Amino acid sequence: MIIRRALQGFFLLFETIRSTFCILMGRPIRPKVFWDHVQNQTVGTRQAYIYSVSDKITDSVEIDKLIDYRRQHIPNAQIIATKFDVSPHVMHYPSHPKEYATTVNDILGMATTSKM
């Protein structure tokens, strides 16, 4: 546990120094570059999001914003989004088996249609 905390502290310090350097040098910060890419990628117009408000890893507010942005800015976007109030990160099925199964069936149905 102590080693884990020490490593987390080291990586936090490293990321803070790296981000500060990027700002001083006028370079984009990695999380912003990543998120801009996620928002604007156009590899496919079929997308599915299954997420939860109580997720401690993924911020549901940011996912809501991403979905809204992609629906507004990606032509012909086909987006399925299911947001649960309470379920841990990537553990939606045990908490909501019926709703999760319905969403997965919808996703598979969307993926197997010929319209692109």
Side-chain angles (χ1 to χ4, degrees):
M1 187 66 159
I2 293 172
I3 293 173
R4 180 178 174 192
R5 294 282 185 204
L7 285 172
Q8 287 174 336
F10 170 77
F11 286 116
L12 179 61
L13 177 62
F14 175 78
E15 187 61 27
T16 301
I17 292 169
R18 193 191 64 70
S19 295
T20 302
F21 178 77
C22 287
I23 291 168
L24 292 173
M25 298 302 292
R27 295 183 181 162
I29 299 172
R30 186 181 332 168
K32 178 162 177 21
V33 171
F34 170 78
W35 196 250
D36 287 349
H37 175 73
V38 168
Q39 264 191 331
N40 297 309
Q41 67 85 18
T42 56
V43 173
T45 58
R46 297 175 182 182
Q47 300 156 24
Y49 301 89
I50 303 175
Y51 60 112
S52 170
V53 172
S54 65
D55 192 324
K56 294 183 178 176
I57 297 173
T58 304
D59 184 349
S60 66
V61 173
E62 292 302 317
I63 300 299
D64 290 337
K65 290 178 188 176
L66 172 65
I67 292 166
D68 290 342
Y69 180 90
R70 295 199 51 81
R71 282 184 171 145
Q72 292 173 13
H73 293 90
I74 306 299
N76 304 317
Q78 297 176 11
I79 297 173
I80 293 175
T82 300
K83 179 168 77 171
F84 298 111
D85 288 327
V86 180
S87 65
H89 186 69
V90 301
M91 295 297 293
H92 311 300
Y93 180 75
S95 301
H96 309 279
K98 289 180 183 176
E99 298 92 337
Y100 186 87
T102 298
T103 300
V104 170
N105 282 329
D106 291 346
I107 292 166
L108 292 173
M110 181 174 67
T112 57
T113 60
S114 62
K115 185 179 177 183
M116 294 191 104

